[in-house]
Amino acid sequence: MELAAAGENMMELREIAKVHIAKCKEGDMRAIRELADRLDGRPAQILDLNDPDKPTLTKIVHEIVHLEPMSREEFQRQLVDGRDDRKP
């Protein structure tokens, strides 16, 4: 619901919040999780790089390639053909 559509005193939003908080108090884990995500943000994903069953990151490569400018026709031909005849 948009805040502008809620009216000046936002009564509808307040009612929704009351219902949501009541569900949290009743122990509704889905409501509790949703409230925590809104208040604290979702937890960041943690990557376990020490798991022996998963491949490990061994090398990072940065490659910079310089190509000469091409005409619009050459670019369109490259998109259609899927190849570039120029030398890098």
Side-chain angles (χ1 to χ4, degrees), residues 2-49:
E2 292 184 24
L3 290 176
E8 294 217 10
N9 60 5
M10 299 186 200
M11 291 302 292
E12 289 181 30
L13 289 178
R14 291 172 195 237
E15 287 300 316
I16 291 170
K18 286 179 186 176
V19 171
H20 193 88
I21 290 170
K23 286 184 178 184
C24 291
K25 287 180 179 178
E26 292 170 3
D28 183 338
M29 289 305 296
R30 189 171 179 189
I32 292 170
R33 197 173 309 117
E34 185 69 25
L35 183 62
D37 285 348
R38 293 292 180 254
L39 295 176
D40 299 329
R42 289 193 166 183
Q45 181 181 6
I46 298 174
L47 300 175
D48 183 10
L49 300 176

Side-chain angles (χ1 to χ4, degrees), residues 58-88:
T58 57
K59 186 178 185 180
I60 297 176
V61 177
H62 293 277
E63 183 177 358
I64 299 173
V65 178
H66 175 75
L67 296 173
E68 295 299 321
M70 67 174 82
S71 68
R72 183 179 199 85
E73 292 78 22
E74 290 173 320
F75 180 71
Q76 289 174 340
R77 187 170 40 251
Q78 179 182 346
L79 286 175
V80 173
D81 296 344
R83 61 188 174 91
D84 186 2
D85 295 331
R86 299 174 305 150
K87 294 181 181 179

